[in-house]
Amino acid sequence: MVTQQKDLKMKSKYTEQEDQIITAIADMYNNKDKGLNKAKRALRKKFNIIVSEGELRRRLHTLKEKREQAT
């Protein structure tokens, strides 16, 4: 059963460090009301990470849910 759960999990195309960078940059630009285009541009220019707006929205939504559960 454990192996089935591992197989069902979606494998990320980003490393763990890149995941943290993407989430942090998306959160930073979202808090400044700069928008997702600025976050995409910063990730592409400074870290050479190409991310879609949908991916950024999904990460922000997940982060928001985690913050709500923590309070």
Side-chain angles (χ1 to χ4, degrees):
M1 180 130 189
V2 175
T3 56
Q4 288 176 343
Q5 289 176 348
K6 287 182 182 178
D7 291 339
L8 293 176
K9 285 186 179 179
M10 202 169 120
K11 292 185 179 180
S12 177
K13 63 181 179 179
Y14 305 108
T15 64
E16 186 176 337
Q17 185 178 16
E18 288 173 335
D19 280 338
Q20 292 174 354
I21 291 169
I22 292 168
T23 304
I25 295 291
D27 188 40
M28 179 178 73
Y29 279 99
N30 190 47
N31 287 338
K32 291 182 177 181
D33 293 328
K34 295 277 186 173
L36 297 178
N37 273 339
K38 294 280 186 179
K40 277 178 49 174
R41 185 167 197 261
L43 287 165
R44 189 180 74 243
K45 294 284 186 179
K46 295 186 181 191
F47 299 102
N48 200 26
I49 301 173
I50 299 172
V51 182
S52 68
E53 282 190 36
E55 176 73 18
L56 293 175
R57 281 192 191 101
R58 186 170 49 250
R59 288 173 185 268
L60 288 171
H61 180 71
T62 304
L63 187 62
K64 183 179 177 183
E65 286 178 349
K66 286 181 181 179
R67 286 179 177 159
E68 287 174 357
Q69 288 177 357
T71 57

